[in-house]
Amino acid sequence: MPTYTVTVSTGSQWFAGTDDYIYITLVGTEGCSERTLLDKALYNDFERGAVDSYDVRVGEDLGEIVFVKIEKNKYWVQDDWYCRYITVKTPSGDYVEFPCFRWLVDDKEVVLRDGRAHLPQDDKTSMVKLHRQKELEKRRKTYRWKEWQPGFPMSIDANRHKDLPRDIQFDTEKGVDFVLNYSKAIENLFVNQFMHMFQSSWSDFADFEKIFVRIKNTISEYVMQHWKEDFMFGYQFLNGCNPVMIQKCTKLPDKFPVTHEMVSVSLERELTLEQEIEAGNVYIVDYEVLDGISPNSTDPCTLQYLTAPMCLLYKTTQNKILPIAIQLGQTPGEDNPIFLPTDGQYDWLLAKIWVRSADFQYHQNITHLLRTHLMTEVFAIAMYRQLSAVHPVYKLLIPHIRFTIAINTKAREQLICECGIFDKANATGGGGHIQLIQKAVKSLTFRSLCFPEIIQARGVDNKEELPTYFYRDDGYRVWEATKSFVSDVVHIYYASDETVQEDEEIQAFIKDACSFGMQDFDYCEFPKSLKTRKELIEYLTAVVFTASSQHAAINFGQYDWYSWIPNAPSTMRRPPPNKKGLANVNLIIESLPDRGRSSWHLGAVWALSQYQEGELYLGMYPDEHFIEKPVKAAMERFRIQLTEISSSIKKRNDGKKLPYYNMSPDKIPNSVAT
């Protein structure tokens, strides 16, 4: 009797093993095997991390093995099982690989195709076509769209993490419990002693060191020492936590009536302000989107305030970016003065603090939450709904959406929900964050997710003009490396542009992301179809880059830049000054977050800056969804490129007081999972 040797790999994560009964059926072109129980006498099968082999005997040769069907039946109590892969050795000595990488829950069965990637038009037999069709029908019922808030990108239809399909849940929910993590962070940072004084102000700036000094961190300590300096203020627009706001000023907006006389003392080239603008030496930052957003009012004992400032920045002859004018509101007038470096020391400092607080709100809500977390979730849901597990783009994207739906669901459950953690310390809590994202979605186009295009659109692409914009320089290199890898994979499976047009699954994926994920918003400008390989490459590069590199660049530096609270106040407790000469140390301290909110803020930025246990970094693909050698060779080339980029960034950072490493590939997780 012909014998097939079946090798089964169980996952190594917590609770991956099972004591349930596991059955297998081999389906070939010439027939199928009996349903066979995989069991060895006096042996504990399917333990966590185990690789077990079994013989399956059949009456006659099954031909080419097309499917393996795995079934799990309850032994004592329901016991979920995580199967990594199955390998079948045929009687002729050939090996057929069946990647699985999914959970079997309850009394369920999974039917796997061999690990070769197939476009839908490549499937010729009715058997494989039907399998593919059923797989996607089942997935569309499992992964449903839901509007969490009006005007938001759509999200998964699940209210709690535990309601998600088991395959996309975290391995252990404990690791992503925001309440638990923040409470732990507050305890670890020794700031719980201040929580009972929730609404009392600090005495002076030195008091903030009481909740800061416990953790040693090169950048955060440098920020603490230099945060008042104009250089540090300007530098953060290039390489801080939110390096996406600065743009070249080609014409002063009417709403920001800065004159040459106001700023002449700050200019170094014996040119007028207008000439400096023409020469490309003036930049602007505008937080107009914050205008009209309701400040947090969840605590009636503490009023909180928001404003929508504008800041003019000047490039000195030493290539430093310095602030030269700040207006704290969008409408000019006597009660909305333009603050200048020549004003009183505390007037100028308070104006800069207001800009930093606005930048914090923009960063957390728009740059971080909307443009990385929520956007990656849109692509993830569309992928699960429209791409079969054997589709090459599914195999390409799945490492880059790992745990994203889970972290977002957990955030909606605990962090950004009504009365969630976000409400405790942030000026945009209590519903302001909802309004802000609703406004920001209106400027979220697909092109704005393409790194080179958005850099060019802001007029900051010239390295000679802005030589210390490391976010841009490193981002370009990682984008190009990612694009090169994506291009390699696309060209392996798509022989021509026509192949893209004929791929009904990829077209459905693109349309689902636009028509459902982005709700067909008139202004989103997401494509509904793709016609060429070039378009497909750029689209997939934007997805991978957003989920990995862009998220890393704006997430993991939060403790560096935000732990010194006066540099990034999460809320302001006094209204913005409406005239000059009002500011002093007491007003600034009373404006900054109180002890309790400072403690919540510090715990939050510490927790958000932590990497996941067992993090997988860009280019690491231990789950072998692809089995083809050309793709594995492309992965190796990608890893070599990324290693070279990491090495050059490390070399550049050596000896720097302010090293920039947020876009270094060895610190970029594959996916949005934090």
Side-chain angles (χ1 to χ4, degrees), residues 432-625:
H433 59 305
I434 306 298
Q435 298 172 17
L436 188 53
I437 289 174
Q438 287 167 337
K439 281 180 77 173
V441 166
K442 293 177 180 176
S443 60
L444 199 169
T445 64
F446 176 74
R447 307 311 316 174
S448 71
L449 299 179
C450 298
F451 186 82
E453 288 196 30
I454 198 64
I455 293 287
Q456 289 161 17
R458 291 193 282 115
V460 289
D461 52 311
N462 191 319
K463 193 170 181 178
E464 291 180 7
E465 291 181 0
L466 278 178
T468 57
Y469 197 6
F470 305 128
Y471 163 77
R472 171 204 60 205
D473 299 341
D474 299 350
Y476 269 145
R477 295 183 67 187
V478 178
W479 172 275
E480 288 304 320
T482 305
K483 188 175 182 179
S484 176
F485 168 56
V486 170
S487 178
D488 284 349
V489 175
V490 166
H491 280 90
I492 289 168
Y493 296 101
Y494 292 89
S496 64
D497 293 343
E498 288 72 29
T499 320
V500 175
Q501 296 163 23
E502 293 163 4
D503 183 346
E504 58 190 29
E505 285 184 15
I506 207 71
Q507 299 298 340
F509 164 66
I510 301 299
K511 187 174 182 184
D512 213 16
C514 175
S515 297
F516 288 92
M518 296 304 294
Q519 301 198 59
D520 250 343
F521 293 137
D522 294 337
Y523 38 76
C524 82
E525 298 175 13
F526 273 58
K528 290 186 179 179
S529 64
L530 299 178
K531 292 184 170 56
T532 67
R533 289 184 294 182
K534 183 180 179 183
E535 290 174 352
L536 178 59
I537 290 163
E538 185 165 53
Y539 193 99
L540 298 178
T541 302
V543 175
V544 174
F545 187 88
T546 298
S548 55
S549 310
Q550 181 63 16
H551 177 257
I554 53 88
N555 181 70
F556 293 103
Q558 291 193 67
Y559 190 82
D560 290 347
W561 295 101
Y562 292 167
S563 56
W564 180 246
I565 288 159
N567 184 58
S570 60
T571 191
M572 297 291 276
R573 298 178 298 130
R574 292 288 181 273
N578 57 10
K579 62 174 80 168
K580 299 185 182 185
L582 294 177
N584 54 36
V585 170
N586 288 338
L587 176 61
I588 293 176
I589 293 296
E590 289 169 6
S591 297
L592 290 169
D594 51 36
R595 295 169 188 252
R597 287 179 178 81
S598 296
S599 301
W600 274 109
H601 168 95
L602 192 66
V605 299
W606 183 82
L608 288 169
S609 300
Q610 305 307 303
Y611 290 94
Q612 288 282 338
E613 187 179 340
E615 195 74 79
L616 297 175
Y617 295 94
L618 195 58
M620 293 171 61
Y621 302 116
D623 290 355
E624 295 188 356
H625 290 274

Side-chain angles (χ1 to χ4, degrees), residues 242-429:
N242 193 35
V244 302
M245 294 297 296
I246 187 170
Q247 55 185 320
K248 183 168 284 185
C249 180
T250 54
K251 182 181 181 294
L252 271 176
D254 293 338
K255 63 181 182 178
F256 196 14
V258 182
T259 65
H260 173 72
E261 289 69 32
M262 289 179 182
V263 298
S264 58
V265 69
S266 299
L267 309 180
E268 297 181 353
R269 295 178 177 84
E270 297 184 1
L271 299 173
T272 65
L273 176 59
E274 193 174 295
Q275 289 169 331
E276 292 278 20
I277 290 172
E278 287 177 9
N281 298 322
V282 180
Y283 296 84
I284 192 169
V285 176
D286 187 352
Y287 298 92
E288 182 180 15
V289 70
L290 284 163
D291 194 31
I293 301 298
S294 304
N296 193 342
S297 59
T298 54
D299 178 2
C301 299
T302 302
L303 293 177
Q304 298 177 62
Y305 297 89
L306 282 168
T307 191
M310 287 175 282
C311 178
L312 209 61
L313 300 155
Y314 177 66
K315 185 184 72 171
T316 69
T317 53
Q318 300 297 310
N319 288 318
K320 290 182 179 178
I321 297 295
L322 303 179
I324 59 173
I326 293 172
Q327 183 176 287
L328 295 181
Q330 291 288 309
T331 306
E334 283 187 17
D335 60 348
N336 187 19
I338 295 174
F339 292 93
L340 306 166
T342 50
D343 291 337
Q345 171 189 353
Y346 295 115
D347 279 343
W348 182 236
L349 181 60
L350 182 55
K352 289 192 294 180
I353 289 172
W354 270 105
V355 174
R356 293 294 310 136
S357 185
D359 192 73
F360 178 85
Q361 308 304 331
Y362 190 104
H363 167 260
Q364 293 291 13
N365 291 286
I366 300 173
T367 311
H368 186 202
L369 176 58
L370 171 62
R371 298 182 69 91
T372 61
H373 278 260
L374 299 185
M375 282 316 307
T376 303
E377 183 175 3
V378 165
F379 297 127
I381 298 169
M383 182 203 78
Y384 279 118
R385 286 171 52 82
Q386 305 299 345
L387 299 180
S388 162
V390 298
H391 197 289
V393 172
Y394 178 95
K395 292 171 180 278
L396 173 70
L397 292 185
I398 196 160
H400 300 290
I401 56 92
R402 177 176 178 254
F403 297 148
T404 298
I405 298 174
I407 194 75
N408 288 1
T409 303
K410 202 71 181 170
R412 286 186 288 268
E413 188 182 346
Q414 292 184 328
L415 182 62
I416 56 176
C417 56
E418 190 174 350
C419 302
I421 289 173
F422 200 80
D423 288 357
K424 293 185 185 298
N426 292 283
T428 46

Side-chain angles (χ1 to χ4, degrees), residues 117 392 395-396 485 488-490 492-493 621 625-639:
K395 292 171 180 278
L396 173 70
F485 168 56
D488 284 349
V489 175
V490 166
I492 289 168
Y493 296 101
Y621 302 116
H625 290 274
F626 283 110
I627 66 168
E628 292 92 332
K629 288 181 180 177
V631 184
K632 292 188 175 183
M635 287 177 176
E636 185 57 29
R637 288 193 296 273
F638 187 34
R639 279 190 286 269

